[in-house]
Amino acid sequence: MPTECSQRRLLLDEVVAKGFRLTSQRRALIQIIQQSRQHVDAATLLKLARKRDPRINRATVYRTLDLLKKLQLVDELDLMHLTGEKHYYEVRPDRQHVHLACCRCGRIVEFSSDTFDRLQSEIAAQTGFEIQVARLEVGGHCSSCAAAAHSATSASEAGKDALKSSVD
Amino acid sequence: MPTECSQRRLLLDEVVAKGFRLTSQRRALIQIIQQSRQHVDAATLLKLARKRDPRINRATVYRTLDLLKKLQLVDELDLMHLTGEKHYYEVRPDRQHVHLACCRCGRIVEFSSDTFDRLQSEIAAQTGFEIQVARLEVGGHCSSCAAAAHSATSASEAGKDALKSSVD
DNA sequence: GCATAAGTTGCGACTTAGTTGCAATTAGAA
DNA sequence: TTCTAATTGCAACTAAGTCGCAACTTATGC
């Protein structure tokens, strides 16, 4: 999710600075990604962009996303594939964060910590790997769903039946 | 990748223990996943399984993978989508590890550390999230490719052109 | 401001990955 | 051995993303 309007210009500038053209389509798509409070997927992005310019095409959305990924201006997320195989996008934040996806209620929680920062430095230092993206996604139950699941399970019983009826 | 044959029985047993039937298809698929040194994707798994039993079906592969995921016996990976949108699978190891994917040579390096373990505890403790899976994937350049990329760049020059010709 | 060349887009057909409903088959309990 | 619910194969389907190419647009130089 966008940190602030400080980035509003930046992404567009960055695209220009790297020598890419600033088309109305790119402008629109970038603005939509920045203004979105949620993580957006390609289909949603297309739908929103078409409200501004109905002629905008699906291929353009994918091509723009590819460009922004390459420029490392946006990050691609899977969010644990909770809702199919689509990808989600967010403006790359100053500080990397973890995405916690609740497979019961679908909520996405973001979490950042020094330990995560340190882990990345450690990886780079110990493996010589030059990190461009680090994506940590966690699946499980958020605190409220964990509580709900436990009380439900203690009554009914675990094992196959619990598994079969579970939402994940 | 499989840690050892100690798991060979375990996965099958686990499936039975949870009350699921042990069909010849499941047996074959589980064995293939365990014996594989590489991370396998669904299509490869199907191909390998058909060498044993040519009648085995694609749907069965996906359904079996779903089952093993739900039982938390295998983990699903994206490996940074280096080669398309397919998923890869590995037997869940005793200790979670990070996957480092080199977007230049495609090599996958595994890395585990106390810091990663600690990060997970920290997430659980601070957010109340009940972790079922934690998937940390890192994209970038492995040590040898990083060296190669640097020497190439210093000669030619960075910016758009370098970006355009790069493999990521 | 105007021409122009390279970058970008729209289109539409295509590929790849995964899903689904249903009839036929089979594992395993009785 | 019988029987039933779980599992499979099949085939048609959906969803997500890609690609080649002609048409259009941006940014540059004049």
Side-chain angles (χ1 to χ4, degrees):
Chain A
M1 340 247 172
T3 317
E4 267 330 310
C5 353
S6 64
Q7 300 177 327
R8 193 140 305 170
R9 262 289 70 131
L10 285 182
L11 289 205
L12 295 174
D13 290 350
E14 196 77 15
V15 169
V16 174
K18 299 273 180 176
F20 295 93
R21 290 192 180 166
L22 206 41
T23 65
S24 64
Q25 292 90 331
R26 285 179 179 168
R27 224 186 296 267
L29 291 168
I30 288 173
Q31 280 180 9
I32 291 165
I33 296 174
Q34 286 180 317
Q35 285 163 14
S36 170
R37 302 263 156 79
Q38 311 271 320
H39 302 105
V40 281
D41 60 280
T44 304
L45 196 50
L46 175 60
K47 212 174 62 187
L48 292 172
R50 277 194 166 148
K51 285 187 186 168
R52 304 191 186 200
D53 177 359
R55 285 178 47 81
I56 201 164
N57 191 270
R58 196 155 45 106
T60 303
V61 172
Y62 284 109
R63 288 191 279 230
T64 301
L65 287 171
D66 281 345
L67 178 65
L68 297 174
K69 273 190 284 178
K70 278 186 190 155
L71 294 177
Q72 308 198 19
L73 299 174
V74 305
D75 287 319
E76 186 176 62
L77 311 170
D78 295 299
L79 300 182
M80 295 314 275
H81 304 296
L82 252 41
T83 43
E85 300 305 318
K86 59 179 164 251
H87 297 142
Y88 294 88
Y89 301 89
E90 70 177 4
V91 176
R92 178 169 295 205
D94 299 330
R95 191 186 191 191
Q96 298 265 29
H97 53 255
V98 182
H99 289 95
L100 313 176
C102 179
C103 57
R104 201 160 177 275
C105 69
R107 199 154 61 101
I108 304 294
V109 177
E110 298 185 349
F111 177 83
S112 44
S113 81
D114 290 344
T115 311
F116 188 34
D117 302 337
R118 223 175 313 120
L119 175 58
Q120 290 177 63
S121 320
E122 192 180 302
I123 291 169
Q126 290 187 27
T127 67
F129 206 91
E130 201 166 75
I131 299 179
Q132 283 167 0
V133 213
R135 192 169 65 199
L136 172 49
E137 296 190 349
V138 172
H141 290 141
C142 69
S143 49
S144 30
C145 287
H150 286 153
S151 54
T153 310
S154 60
S156 68
E157 193 29 38
K160 183 179 181 178
D161 303 320
L163 217 183
K164 291 212 156 170
S165 59
S166 83
V167 193
D168 48 331
Chain B
M1 339 244 175
T3 316
E4 266 330 308
C5 357
S6 64
Q7 301 177 327
R8 193 141 305 167
R9 261 294 64 133
L10 284 181
L11 289 205
L12 295 173
D13 290 351
E14 197 77 16
V15 168
V16 173
K18 298 273 183 177
F20 295 94
R21 291 188 181 169
L22 206 43
T23 63
S24 64
Q25 291 90 334
R26 284 180 181 167
R27 223 185 298 266
L29 292 167
I30 288 173
Q31 280 179 8
I32 291 165
I33 297 175
Q34 285 181 317
Q35 285 163 15
S36 169
R37 301 264 155 77
Q38 310 271 320
H39 301 105
V40 282
D41 61 280
T44 305
L45 196 50
L46 175 61
K47 212 174 62 187
L48 293 172
R50 278 193 165 148
K51 285 187 186 168
R52 304 191 185 201
D53 176 1
R55 284 178 48 81
I56 199 163
N57 192 270
R58 194 156 46 108
T60 303
V61 172
Y62 284 111
R63 288 192 279 230
T64 302
L65 286 171
D66 281 344
L67 177 65
L68 297 174
K69 273 190 285 177
K70 278 186 190 157
L71 295 177
Q72 308 198 17
L73 298 174
V74 305
D75 286 319
E76 187 175 63
L77 310 170
D78 295 299
L79 300 182
M80 293 315 274
H81 304 295
L82 250 43
T83 44
E85 300 305 319
K86 60 180 163 249
H87 297 142
Y88 295 88
Y89 301 88
E90 71 178 1
V91 175
R92 178 171 293 204
D94 299 330
R95 190 185 191 191
Q96 298 265 27
H97 53 254
V98 181
H99 289 94
L100 312 177
C102 179
C103 58
R104 200 158 177 278
C105 68
R107 198 154 62 102
I108 304 294
V109 177
E110 298 185 351
F111 177 84
S112 42
S113 80
D114 291 343
T115 311
F116 188 33
D117 303 337
R118 222 175 314 120
L119 175 57
Q120 290 177 63
S121 319
E122 192 180 302
I123 290 169
Q126 290 187 28
T127 66
F129 205 91
E130 201 167 74
I131 299 178
Q132 284 168 0
V133 213
R135 190 169 67 200
L136 173 50
E137 297 191 349
V138 172
H141 290 142
C142 69
S143 50
S144 30
C145 288
H150 286 153
S151 56
T153 309
S154 61
S156 68
E157 195 29 37
K160 183 179 183 179
D161 303 320
L163 216 182
K164 290 213 157 167
S165 60
S166 82
V167 191
D168 50 332

